[in-house]
Amino acid sequence: MPIKNIPIFVFLTFLFWHNAFAGGGIDFLSLSEKDFGVQDAAKVLRENDSLVIRGTRALAAARISIDALLYRHFSLTLQSSNDTTGFLFWGKDSQVRLHSFVIEKSVSPKEYAFDLWAYPDFRGSLGIFGLGFQSALGEEEVVTISRMTLKGSGYPSFIGGMKRFFVPEYVSFPSINVFFGPRLWDKPFNVWVLAALGVAIFVLAGLCIAGRSISWHGAGTAIFAIALVSWIIFDARNMLNLFAIAKKDAKDFVAAARYEKLYDDLQDLYGFLHFAQDTIPQSSSLSFVSSFGAAHELRAEYMLRPRKVALGIPDDPAAKDFLVFYRYPLQINEEGKTIGFQNGEAAYKEIIPFREHSFIVKIK
Amino acid sequence: MTEILIICLRYIIGVGALTVSGWSIVCAAEKIFSRDGKRFFTDKERWFLGFPLGSGLLAWYMFFLGVMGIPFGLTSIAPFFLLPIAIRIFLRKKQLQAPEKKDSILPMALLQKYVLIIAGALFALRLAFIVFEISVAPTYFEDSAAHWNQRAKILYHAKGFILDKDHPDFFGKYRPEYPPYTHLIKIYLSEAAGGWFEPVVNSSNVIILVSVLGFAYFVMVRLTGNSFISFIAMYVMGSIPLATYQMFGGVYSDFLFGLFVLAAFVLCMAWMRDPVRLGYLYISSFFFAASAFIKIEPLILVFLPVLFSLGMFARAKNLSWKKTLMPFVGVIMLYLGPWILLKAALGLPFLPSGGAPGGLFTPRLDLVPHMVRVLLFEGNYNIFFAAIGCMLIFIWRQLFSGTLKYGTLFVSLFFALILFAFLFTGSSQWLEDETTFHRTMIAFLPSSIFLLALASSEFLQSKRNN
């Protein structure tokens, strides 16, 4: 074979190697009992099955064998009796990382769609794909699942592998510590950079061994050039990421009304805190309680200062001017004007509602 | 609308006043330390150094206000600005000549100009993104809400330090053992703007980023004459992906202390090229000290490497320790001494709470593969660690020759101490759970990139000379 045809041959081999197209998708609710089990509730999920969550997590995991490069969209249609937290997880074996999402109470089935390629750990060959729920504070919640489907990317893996390079990595809690970076053909971009630099060094070493005279500075400049071009490509890709983040924030946070603001995995927390800022005088004392715990409570404390902020249900609720509840189901006796906690009840003057389970209680 | 304009105007005046005061102190330092009638810095370098230097001194001044129980406010802060004015008036008669520049600035090829345009455009877009997010995004990231912004806001509303240990908001309630530079600058900017506003308090890091990169760029051009490599080095430092996340959403301080170490390192390298100009060294010691007023890590990771490198340099050049190392250490002790004494008096831990949870010597060499994966294959540092190995093949001669070898010694020891801390002590937990190790590494990158850029510039220059 003529040498000039080698690159074409390599390219075709590569294309053949990545020739698989994503199938029509996996409908989880049609999987057999062997494939799909529900922890804490010994049964297989079927269409319109309900999952009752009492205080602890309920996890449903399917044993499947998929290539992350071929599957991209996960769609979940469900109805929940209460606001709750859902989790997606996947992995090769039991080593999985949970990705939470907020499920809102609904009276009819609601669809939740996920772009799995936006999750950096959705990669390689996967053996487990699962779904979980966590009820708030031991309240019984009924989640009825009507459909759960994993769909292909719609591209052959070669094209899909390139497309994934441009899928943005949005801001989330871990972003301050880890930026996973783009993936190209299901490998980190840096793997390809290392390969390019390695090949260049290998070629230069080969030329030296073969007795060809090469310019040391020319070789060094070539390596610097490859590194610089790779940095710029990575950075340009990173700019697309930042642009996507800015676009999302402009839509969900800037353009939204003051009480409707959404911010990434904190959802409408800031909208609610703006509502609390406008409702509670700065000289007041308050306790802030969220079913999501410290992650919400510390941000609330920061936003609501200089008010005197305590976190969690206080020992003596009557000593506070206000109690602030965010996504926290609570027993309210409107006639007797009392609210009930696990450790007693407290009298109140007025309840200032925001949304269901998110409200401000005026005590004094 | 008028209210927003007034806030913006007050904020600009606040930032401007701090920049001018820093600039005045730089000018004064030049006049005091110059022995040959020449300045140390060009006009641009002076201005870019203004805000970082001014902020470091102002934080120190406000620290004393806090310790003495004088309430924070424009009235109590105003005397700080009188000092630089007084020094300027006192030294007005001493005139200095402009510093020497490199004989010639290397001309750029057309391709290099295109690369610069692309890199400049990408950096400008990144800055635009950061400014947009600072303007609109709330305090979001965990440690901002649980420490940096929270503690600053508590002290701002308290109008000073709360040093009563029984008070529920003692020293800002959250992580009182952390040094107070970041909090005090946020308080100053809020006092200047007339209230606690998210964009105002979250803007401090980006001002330092632009200032220190601008300063490092002009010094590097002056030292090397290579504006292409200098600009690319600054672009690379400014586009570290993980560092961008420390510029908005509440801001963290790892990259910030890395920028202060960069400013100090730049000055150290400038001094090593021209050891007669001791002013470089003394201002450098101020920035090293200020870096440990931002976070505790520099005390452990930076001070030993810099003292060792400077000691080696002074010994090799037969320089007087009384004029070099002793004043260097003296400035650091003078700046950090009061803070360390206050910590001791209050019984605050030396290390950050949870710093080494597993004990001081608990080797975890099993984490080496994980660390290699983090450095090489995650996107935190763009392709830095993936490319560095190949680049070192070509520039190792430059790195280990001339004055650069002392810079290499500093950077290598800095890196080695990071590895030791995260592989041999209980801090390995923060490598395993992908948190502090990643962030500490972005503090290391600016000075290492600067060093590599100096070596690369010499590598390319040697090509021209051959």
Side-chain angles (χ1 to χ4, degrees):
Chain A
M1 183 166 46
I3 290 176
K4 65 179 182 181
N5 288 340
I6 285 180
I8 299 169
F9 174 74
V10 171
F11 177 76
L12 288 174
T13 309
F14 190 72
L15 199 59
F16 178 76
W17 183 40
H18 279 87
N19 65 349
F21 279 75
I26 298 170
D27 191 340
F28 279 79
L29 300 184
S30 64
L31 291 173
S32 71
E33 190 165 353
K34 191 181 158 202
D35 297 320
F36 198 19
V38 179
Q39 195 181 316
D40 301 334
K43 63 175 183 178
V44 175
L45 282 176
R46 296 282 177 230
E47 198 170 334
N48 294 324
D49 256 0
S50 59
L51 199 62
V52 180
I53 310 162
R54 292 187 189 88
T56 54
R57 273 181 195 163
L59 300 170
R63 286 181 216 289
I64 51 174
S65 180
I66 59 164
D67 182 351
L69 203 55
L70 294 175
Y71 290 91
R72 179 173 182 178
H73 304 287
F74 179 65
S75 150
L76 176 68
T77 308
L78 58 79
Q79 181 182 341
S80 175
S81 66
N82 220 332
D83 288 351
T84 188
T85 305
F87 303 94
L88 290 180
F89 57 92
W90 46 75
K92 278 188 177 171
D93 43 41
S94 56
Q95 292 282 320
V96 294
R97 189 186 290 222
L98 301 178
H99 300 278
S100 64
F101 61 98
V102 174
I103 295 172
E104 290 182 346
K105 176 183 174 178
S106 58
V107 288
S108 58
K110 188 177 170 187
E111 187 181 5
Y112 294 82
F114 302 89
D115 182 351
L116 299 173
W117 282 4
Y119 298 87
D121 61 341
F122 188 78
R123 60 181 186 236
S125 300
L126 301 170
I128 287 178
F129 190 95
L131 175 69
F133 302 95
Q134 170 106 50
S135 74
L137 300 169
E139 291 283 310
E140 184 170 289
E141 290 165 16
V142 182
V143 177
T144 308
I145 298 169
S146 17
R147 193 163 183 81
M148 193 158 67
T149 310
L150 188 60
K151 289 179 192 161
S153 67
Y155 300 103
S157 57
F158 182 77
I159 305 290
M162 280 200 293
K163 285 242 168 203
R164 187 171 182 178
F165 183 71
F166 299 100
V167 175
E169 185 179 331
Y170 286 103
V171 171
S172 62
F173 288 155
S175 299
I176 195 72
N177 293 313
V178 188
F179 173 67
F180 290 96
R183 298 181 72 80
L184 189 60
W185 295 305
D186 210 28
K187 296 275 184 292
F189 176 71
N190 289 8
V191 167
W192 303 103
V193 174
L194 265 176
L197 289 167
V199 167
I201 294 285
F202 183 73
V203 168
L204 290 170
L207 288 172
C208 280
I209 291 166
R212 300 276 185 91
S213 72
I214 57 164
S215 154
W216 183 247
H217 287 96
T221 309
I223 294 294
F224 286 180
I226 293 173
L228 181 57
V229 168
S230 303
W231 186 287
I232 289 174
I233 292 172
F234 189 116
D235 193 39
R237 156 66 184 75
N238 193 212
M239 282 315 305
L240 291 177
N241 211 51
L242 299 181
F243 181 71
I245 292 168
K247 197 175 158 190
K248 184 169 180 277
D249 288 349
K251 177 175 159 278
D252 292 350
F253 201 81
V254 181
R258 185 167 160 79
Y259 298 162
E260 303 292 327
K261 293 190 185 299
L262 302 173
Y263 201 81
D264 297 306
D265 27 15
L266 291 174
Q267 293 291 305
D268 64 349
L269 176 69
Y270 291 107
F272 177 66
L273 292 175
H274 288 150
F275 172 72
Q277 282 175 335
D278 296 346
T279 307
I280 303 172
Q282 290 203 355
S283 56
S284 307
S285 66
L286 64 97
S287 257
F288 184 89
V289 189
S290 164
S291 58
F292 295 86
H296 283 181
E297 290 172 354
L298 284 166
R299 287 167 176 86
E301 180 183 1
Y302 170 71
M303 291 283 286
L304 295 178
R305 279 184 181 271
R307 297 160 189 85
K308 293 183 192 70
V309 185
L311 304 178
I313 293 175
D315 294 333
D316 180 14
K320 302 289 176 193
D321 297 323
F322 292 88
L323 301 177
V324 182
F325 294 96
Y326 178 68
R327 292 181 182 257
Y328 194 92
L330 208 62
Q331 295 283 333
I332 298 170
N333 177 352
E334 286 185 26
E335 283 184 9
K337 291 228 163 191
T338 59
I339 47 172
F341 307 114
Q342 285 167 327
N343 55 352
E345 58 177 26
Y348 69 84
K349 271 194 173 171
E350 184 187 357
I351 289 194
I352 308 156
F354 180 71
R355 290 206 182 94
E356 193 174 17
H357 301 316
S358 299
F359 51 91
I360 294 169
V361 180
K362 191 174 181 185
I363 299 289
K364 291 180 182 171
Chain B
M1 194 64 190
T2 316
E3 194 186 348
I4 293 173
L5 280 175
I6 291 170
I7 292 166
C8 290
L9 193 63
R10 288 184 60 151
Y11 171 76
I12 291 166
I13 292 170
V15 172
L18 205 49
T19 307
V20 170
S21 64
W23 171 83
S24 298
I25 291 162
V26 173
C27 297
E30 285 180 310
K31 288 183 177 179
I32 292 166
F33 296 119
S34 176
R35 295 282 173 269
D36 58 0
K38 285 182 182 166
R39 282 159 44 183
F40 301 156
F41 303 109
T42 63
D43 285 336
K44 285 168 189 160
E45 289 162 23
R46 282 170 159 186
W47 282 111
F48 276 111
L49 203 54
F51 188 85
L53 191 105
S55 70
L57 279 172
L58 178 72
W60 199 59
Y61 170 81
M62 287 179 72
F63 170 80
F64 283 105
L65 290 184
V67 172
M68 291 189 288
I70 300 169
F72 296 149
L74 289 181
T75 328
S76 59
I77 292 170
F80 168 80
F81 297 104
L82 297 178
L83 177 73
I85 295 168
I87 297 173
R88 288 279 291 172
I89 293 169
F90 185 70
L91 294 169
R92 69 185 184 284
K93 285 184 181 169
K94 189 171 180 181
Q95 296 299 323
L96 300 176
Q97 293 174 341
E100 287 167 10
K101 289 185 179 178
K102 194 82 179 175
D103 294 340
S104 62
I105 303 292
L106 293 176
M108 273 190 273
L110 190 62
L111 186 62
Q112 286 179 316
K113 286 179 184 168
Y114 286 136
V115 171
L116 278 198
I117 290 169
I118 294 168
L122 285 170
F123 186 62
L125 281 172
R126 184 173 293 266
L127 273 184
F129 166 80
I130 291 168
V131 171
F132 171 76
E133 285 292 326
I134 286 172
S135 309
V136 303
T139 292
Y140 168 75
F141 290 118
E142 188 78 22
D143 283 0
S144 304
H147 170 213
W148 298 109
N149 278 9
Q150 180 92 260
R151 190 174 168 213
K153 194 173 185 184
I154 289 170
L155 297 178
Y156 169 76
H157 285 297
K159 290 276 172 197
F161 290 169
I162 304 161
L163 299 176
D164 173 8
K165 290 187 88 169
D166 296 327
H167 194 286
D169 289 341
F170 165 63
F171 215 174
K173 187 175 177 180
Y174 293 101
R175 315 253 177 100
E177 73 278 12
Y178 269 65
Y181 166 90
T182 311
H183 316 87
L184 291 171
I185 293 308
K186 286 173 189 289
I187 292 167
Y188 165 71
L189 290 174
S190 297
E191 292 290 352
W196 188 269
F197 305 108
E198 292 287 296
V200 168
V201 296
N202 288 334
S203 67
S204 51
N205 275 17
V206 75
I207 303 173
I208 298 285
L209 172 80
V210 172
S211 307
V212 174
L213 290 192
F215 170 70
Y217 168 76
F218 286 110
V219 172
M220 194 170 163
V221 172
R222 183 156 57 85
L223 294 179
T224 65
N226 192 327
S227 52
F228 176 73
I229 292 282
S230 304
F231 189 87
I232 291 299
M234 301 312 132
Y235 157 69
V236 165
M237 286 182 214
S239 61
I240 299 165
L242 194 59
T244 300
Y245 289 102
Q246 297 214 345
M247 295 287 147
F248 67 95
V251 308
Y252 277 35
S253 294
D254 307 273
F255 194 54
L256 185 66
F257 100 67
L259 289 170
F260 269 62
V261 171
L262 169 68
F265 183 63
V266 168
L267 287 159
C268 259
M269 296 311 293
W271 173 66
M272 286 180 184
R273 298 266 174 118
D274 196 358
V276 179
R277 293 172 179 266
L278 288 163
Y280 284 137
L281 183 68
Y282 301 156
I283 301 175
S284 164
S285 65
F286 168 81
F287 277 107
F288 276 119
S291 73
F293 210 43
I294 296 171
K295 283 205 87 180
I296 296 171
E297 282 91 330
L299 281 176
I300 303 156
L301 303 174
V302 174
F303 282 14
L304 187 68
V306 73
L307 288 175
F308 189 69
S309 311
L310 289 177
M312 294 288 280
F313 177 77
R315 199 176 150 195
K317 302 281 176 190
N318 281 325
L319 298 173
S320 157
W321 286 45
K322 278 186 185 171
K323 285 184 179 172
T324 56
L325 271 185
M326 282 171 69
F328 185 87
V329 174
V331 170
I332 291 174
M333 286 175 70
L334 180 69
Y335 189 89
L336 290 177
W339 160 239
I340 291 169
L341 285 175
L342 181 71
K343 271 179 91 165
L346 293 173
L348 294 170
F350 178 73
L351 289 172
S353 53
L360 279 180
F361 189 71
T362 47
R364 284 291 310 276
L365 292 173
D366 57 304
L367 289 176
V368 170
H370 173 65
M371 193 189 72
V372 171
R373 187 182 60 75
V374 167
L375 294 178
L376 287 184
F377 302 128
E378 282 184 357
N380 305 308
Y381 322 108
N382 197 312
I383 60 152
F384 181 82
F385 289 99
I388 190 77
C390 294
M391 290 174 70
L392 287 178
I393 294 171
F394 295 93
I395 57 171
W396 68 272
R397 276 177 206 276
Q398 284 72 24
L399 284 172
F400 290 97
S401 61
T403 53
L404 275 193
K405 64 174 172 279
Y406 301 101
T408 307
L409 185 63
F410 167 73
V411 167
S412 308
L413 286 174
F414 188 1
F415 188 65
L417 281 176
I418 293 175
L419 296 192
F420 180 82
F422 288 97
L423 287 175
F424 289 90
T425 75
S427 296
S428 56
Q429 183 180 325
W430 313 125
L431 164 63
E432 192 169 21
D433 72 358
E434 308 218 23
T435 52
T436 316
F437 172 78
H438 298 52
R439 289 190 270 116
T440 305
M441 210 42 96
I442 56 172
F444 160 76
L445 286 185
S447 18
S448 56
I449 292 167
F450 185 77
L451 176 77
L452 292 171
L454 286 178
S456 304
S457 173
E458 284 193 8
F459 173 80
L460 295 171
Q461 190 63 29
S462 64
K463 175 190 176 185
R464 281 171 187 276
N465 294 341
N466 285 341

